[in-house]
Amino acid sequence: MRYRTIGTDPRTRREVSVLALGAMLFGSVTDEKTSFAVLDRYVEAGGNFIDTSDNYAFWADGGQGGQSEELLGRWRRSRGVGDEIVIATKLGARPLAPGTSYVDNAEGLSAKVIRESAERSRERLGVAKLDLLYAHIEDHEVPLQETVEGFAELVAEGTVGLLGVSNHATWRVERARALAAAAGLPGYEVLQYAHSHLRPRTDVPEALFPDGSLGHAGPDLLGYLRAEPALTLVAYSPLLKGAYTHPDRLPADFDHPGTPARLAVLREVARETGATVNQVVLAWQIGGELPIVPLAGVSSVAQLEENLAAVDLELTAEQRARLDAAH
């Protein structure tokens, strides 16, 4: 396994594996036995960066979520896992009532919610401190200042380490970070957005695509990452939910003329390296110029093994240039 540093403050920064494990469906769609087997193998391989959220997976049973955090808590206790494993979680998108969703009834990012939701996450995970806590989705009703101060209070108290942000407009990320910096408070250091080798359309309103377009790391966000080298991008859905091997799963916003060209280069490089297309995608992210940690979810140990092999896949500069240039 290889590792990279996230965060800049010596008191809170962590060394994390270059491949993160998504636990979104653990404890719900993925049963406990399988989830434990995947977690055990990931740790055995040197992985130490696991991602969850307080609202996972509310849609599986029409509830409010919490199943993934609860399963990770049981796994930690049964295996004697300590702070050597970095567990990141999120708040802000948990439905306030069963049968509702984050679209119309999210908990939001008020100071009260931040404190109370973080406490519930710590209880479910069985930890004294959340290693990395994200603002999951935007809250346009709460002033950014209140959100910034709410997260910073938990860091000051020692119940949260690093702060992150997901699925926010780039300008709101920058404004929140500027507010934190001006007040001498800790700000967001880890960004979590959808990112893969294939690119979604950018010529239509994001609202047309309810399957995640809002959270894509587009040119603005990637440019921001280049301008702020202390930030890290954790890339969710790097394998597009299996679409590289099951084209029928490709989301609607990837249906454009650029997709076949980029797929063709991916397949060329896969043939040249003897790797799978999925492995080439992950290796392209891991070894690129930007600090990107792919966050891949799996439902079996076999899928995990395929992803783990990507960590040691070295692409040549020429192969990278071709992958980057395809459009």
Side-chain angles (χ1 to χ4, degrees), residues 155-173:
V155 175
E157 293 168 8
T159 55
V160 171
L162 290 163
L163 299 176
V165 61
S166 182
N167 305 318
H168 283 52
T170 305
W171 73 266
R172 286 178 65 84
V173 176

Side-chain angles (χ1 to χ4, degrees), residues 45-66:
N48 74 336
F49 194 15
I50 301 170
D51 183 88
T52 185
S53 174
D54 70 348
N55 74 336
Y56 293 162
F58 75 87
W59 56 92
D61 61 5
Q64 292 173 275

Side-chain angles (χ1 to χ4, degrees), residues 5 41 46 66 77 95 155-156 163 168 178 186 220 255 280 293 306 322:
T5 303
R41 175 64 187 122
R77 287 189 294 273
V155 175
L163 299 176
H168 283 52
D220 283 352
D255 184 12
V280 172
V293 177
E306 179 186 7
R322 274 189 285 144

Side-chain angles (χ1 to χ4, degrees), residues 110-300:
S110 68
K112 181 175 186 290
V113 164
I114 290 169
R115 176 169 294 279
E116 293 178 353
S117 293
E119 174 63 24
R120 287 194 293 268
S121 288
R122 290 197 298 118
E123 290 174 356
R124 285 190 289 265
L125 290 166
V127 297
K129 180 178 182 178
L130 299 171
D131 300 307
L132 169 57
L133 180 63
Y134 292 97
H136 201 164
I137 60 172
E138 294 182 350
D139 183 347
H140 293 280
E141 304 300 319
V142 173
L144 276 174
Q145 185 78 37
E146 179 179 342
T147 298
V148 166
E149 292 175 352
F151 278 116
E153 284 181 6
L154 301 187
V155 175
E157 293 168 8
T159 55
V160 171
L162 290 163
L163 299 176
V165 61
S166 182
N167 305 318
H168 283 52
T170 305
W171 73 266
R172 286 178 65 84
V173 176
E174 169 58 18
R175 182 165 295 180
R177 295 183 70 242
L179 287 169
L185 300 174
Y188 302 137
E189 295 190 84
V190 185
L191 315 179
Q192 186 174 137
Y193 291 76
H195 180 263
S196 189
H197 185 256
L198 294 184
R199 299 164 174 164
R201 292 179 65 176
T202 58
D203 60 335
V204 291
E206 291 173 335
L208 289 179
F209 301 115
D211 57 359
S213 296
L214 179 62
H216 285 299
D220 283 352
L221 190 91
L222 295 175
Y224 185 55
L225 198 64
R226 288 186 178 91
E228 298 288 340
L231 299 177
T232 301
L233 173 64
V234 173
Y236 72 79
S237 295
L239 303 178
L240 298 175
K241 301 178 180 178
Y244 286 104
T245 51
H246 301 277
D248 57 302
R249 298 182 188 176
L250 195 67
D253 43 344
F254 289 84
D255 184 12
H256 60 81
T259 291
R262 287 180 80 80
L263 277 174
V265 175
L266 277 172
R267 290 167 180 153
E268 287 175 6
V269 174
R271 287 193 296 270
E272 293 165 6
T273 58
T276 66
V277 168
N278 284 343
Q279 289 167 343
V280 172
V281 172
L282 295 175
W284 173 77
Q285 289 183 322
I286 291 169
E289 60 163 326
L290 295 177
I292 296 176
V293 177
L295 167 60
V298 300
S299 59
S300 70

